[in-house]
Amino acid sequence: MKTRTWALTFALLLFAGAVCFAEDVQMGTWKLNDGKSTLAAGLPHNNSVVYEAAGDSMKVTIEGTAADGSATHSEWTGKIDGKDYPVTGNPTSDTRSYKKVNDHTLSFVGKKGGKVTISGKVVVSADGKTRTVSVNTTDPSGKKVTGKAVYDKQ
């Protein structure tokens, strides 16, 4: 009887976690819409971004293009709790944190060696089809720049 109760409890917890992530409008694959984006020349571009559940965390996988035109791939897995979690494959940051602002908006901060290198917010439209990322960063010459990347849900 105890085994049956534990199995049922575990199954319900897994289901509840899946439902929570399934309702998150950030989840899914997003493709950059260059025509609607205003990104500074000479900065990397994230061509596609995938948000997916990873246990009780979120995994973000980014495929992009570096300033020199070479392909990039980075990954981040962590909780949406404002705490820093490691980033792999990103030369400009070694940690990133996300914080939920509301059901359609996340704020984020990327750091390299503890110093903020990029910050911004991610807003998903009410219909869930478009995602706009506003960023504040520094270009290779040290100049502060802002940009807007618009993504379409795939």
Side-chain angles (χ1 to χ4, degrees), residues 58-91:
M58 181 183 290
K59 180 179 180 182
V60 181
T61 305
I62 300 171
E63 302 294 338
T65 306
D68 66 3
S70 62
T72 62
H73 173 89
S74 67
E75 295 182 8
W76 175 90
T77 302
K79 297 180 186 212
I80 311 300
D81 59 7
K83 296 179 182 174
D84 293 341
Y85 293 91
V87 175
T88 59
N90 187 328

Side-chain angles (χ1 to χ4, degrees), residues 17-31:
V19 168
C20 288
F21 279 118
E23 292 176 7
D24 190 329
V25 296
Q26 301 286 345
M27 296 300 196
T29 300
W30 301 89
K31 185 177 178 188

Side-chain angles (χ1 to χ4, degrees), residues 88-147:
T88 59
N90 187 328
T92 63
S93 62
D94 50 29
T95 65
R96 187 180 311 138
S97 64
Y98 285 91
K99 188 174 181 181
K100 185 174 181 176
V101 175
N102 61 43
D103 287 343
H104 286 259
T105 307
L106 299 175
S107 63
F108 68 92
V109 175
K111 297 177 184 174
K112 180 79 169 181
K115 181 181 175 189
V116 174
T117 57
I118 189 169
S119 64
K121 67 179 179 174
V122 180
V123 180
V124 175
S125 61
D127 65 6
K129 295 180 181 179
T130 305
R131 177 178 168 269
T132 303
V133 181
S134 302
V135 298
N136 301 297
T137 190
T138 306
D139 71 10
S141 69
K143 179 182 172 189
K144 300 273 184 194
V145 293
T146 60

